[in-house]
Structure formats: C-alpha cells, structure tokens
Amino acid sequence: MFKKRKNNTKILFTLILAAAAFTSQAIDITANLPARISDVKAGGQQIVLLGDELKVGQQAPDFKVVDNSFKPVRLSDFQGKTLMLSIVPSIDTGICSLQTKRFNEEVAKLPDSVQLLTISTDLPFAQKRFCEQEQVNNMAVLSDAVWRDFGSSYGLLIKDMGLLTRAIIIINQQGKVAYLQLVPELAQEPDYDTALQVLRQTIGS
C-alpha cells in the first residue's frame, strides 16, 4: 500500500514538473511575438494582441492545432474547401457557447464543400465534454492549447491571458483570407448574419 502511494506521488510530481516545463516554454514563445494594441475591448479596455496581424486578401497561414484526441490538425488538411473559422476565448462560457451552437446549426444548411472549425485554447478534454453535452456534432472543435500556433500565426492571442480573441475568419478554396471579423467587445456575440452572407458569396464565387 505504501509502495503504491509512493509511486502515485512520484507520477504526480513528474506531471507537475512537465506542466511547469510546458508553461515556461509557452511563456518563452509568446515573449518573442509582435504585439499591437487592437480595437478589441474587454471591460472597456483595449486589449493587446500577439502575433502577426492577419489581413483580408493574404494567403492564410498554415497552423497546427489538435482535435479532442490530441491528433494534430493543420489548415492544409482542408485544402480545396471553403473554411469558416469561429474563434472563441473559452468554449464553456456563455457567449462562446452561444456562438458555437449557432454555427453548429448553420453549417448543417451549407454544402459539403464548406468546413466549419471552432478554435479555442480550451483543453481537448473540455472541448469534447462540451460537444457531447451540447450535441455539437456538425463541425470540428479544435484546441490551440498545445502550441499556441494558431493564435500566434493569425495575430489573435490575447497578451497575458493565453486566450484567443473572438473572431470569424473565412478562407476561400484558393486558401486566401476572404473575410475577417474581430468582434469589438470580447463579451459580445459576433455579427452572424454578415459572416454567413459573405460565406455564401464566397461559395458562389
């Protein structure tokens, strides 16, 4: 019994050290990212976003995130599809939950040539639990928690918070950014109607 408890303590200590090493590495990564004061506000204060600023018309940067099994997923995996990216700070909070469920309903009405992705920095376990509870099954829900590669590549990582700012991005079949909506207040829902209208126009063209 004592030996088993000792082994469990050793495993826990190893996990704590690994988590500390990961946190330290994440801090080093974000410290070297370009920073800019954005028009996005949280509680009335402008937030600082890290990473290269994304522009409409540019080639969408590739990125690496993970699914709920920690399997890596890249933008290049969806080559030839029109993509809508729904970006949320934390999927299990009120506004983020509404946004995710709304797009899960909308994507069911769209052709197979469209792929909708929701991306947040929530751990894959939390995303999986949320999707099962809320029956979110029409789109992929992906995590940027491991490498912060998406947030830094798309300039959407909130400084000192480790979260992504709320946004919608449409990428056309040629891999170019066709639409970018940075929601002006972090606690506000996005403009669904405009985003969906642009998405349909992008599919048509």
Side-chain angles (χ1 to χ4, degrees):
M1 180 72 176
F2 177 75
K3 186 175 181 181
K4 184 177 181 182
R5 185 178 298 173
K6 188 176 179 181
N7 286 339
N8 287 341
T9 303
K10 187 176 180 181
I11 292 169
L12 180 60
F13 183 67
T14 303
L15 288 172
I16 290 170
L17 287 177
F22 172 78
T23 302
S24 175
Q25 183 183 21
I27 292 171
D28 289 340
I29 291 170
T30 61
N32 296 321
L33 293 174
R36 70 187 191 280
I37 298 175
S38 72
D39 293 330
V40 180
K41 293 182 179 180
Q45 299 293 319
Q46 287 178 290
I47 64 173
V48 175
L49 294 177
L50 301 176
D52 296 317
E53 187 174 4
L54 193 70
K55 300 285 187 182
V56 172
Q58 77 172 78
Q59 198 71 24
D62 201 7
F63 58 79
K64 184 167 71 169
V65 291
V66 293
D67 64 13
N68 60 30
S69 299
F70 281 89
K71 178 183 175 182
V73 177
R74 295 180 179 273
L75 173 66
S76 50
D77 294 336
F78 304 99
Q79 192 171 8
K81 284 188 172 284
T82 299
L83 292 179
M84 174 181 274
L85 311 183
S86 173
I87 319 305
V88 297
S90 182
I91 197 168
D92 212 6
T93 57
I95 302 300
C96 300
S97 174
L98 290 172
Q99 180 175 333
T100 303
K101 289 188 285 187
R102 170 68 186 271
F103 280 126
N104 184 64
E105 293 171 1
E106 294 291 345
V107 74
K109 308 170 190 175
L110 298 169
D112 293 339
S113 60
V114 176
Q115 175 71 52
L116 201 150
L117 311 177
T118 287
I119 302 177
S120 74
T121 54
D122 295 295
L123 289 172
F125 315 113
Q127 292 181 337
K128 183 178 182 180
R129 174 182 49 76
F130 171 85
C131 291
E132 288 174 350
Q133 287 180 348
E134 302 296 337
Q135 297 183 332
V136 173
N137 48 25
N138 294 324
M139 61 183 177
V141 178
L142 305 169
S143 173
D144 196 31
V146 178
W147 302 288
R148 297 293 197 270
D149 185 57
F150 173 79
S152 56
S153 297
Y154 281 65
L156 300 177
L157 188 62
I158 303 173
K159 184 179 180 181
D160 299 327
M161 291 181 70
L163 301 175
L164 299 172
T165 194
R166 193 179 309 283
I168 300 172
I169 300 168
I170 295 173
I171 300 172
N172 66 21
Q173 289 183 322
Q174 290 72 45
K176 291 190 175 182
V177 179
Y179 176 76
L180 170 63
Q181 179 188 148
L182 287 181
V183 181
E185 172 60 52
L186 206 59
Q188 175 183 316
E189 288 183 78
D191 180 351
Y192 301 110
D193 293 339
T194 299
L196 290 166
Q197 181 181 358
V198 173
L199 178 62
R200 292 186 179 95
Q201 291 171 350
T202 304
I203 297 168
S205 62

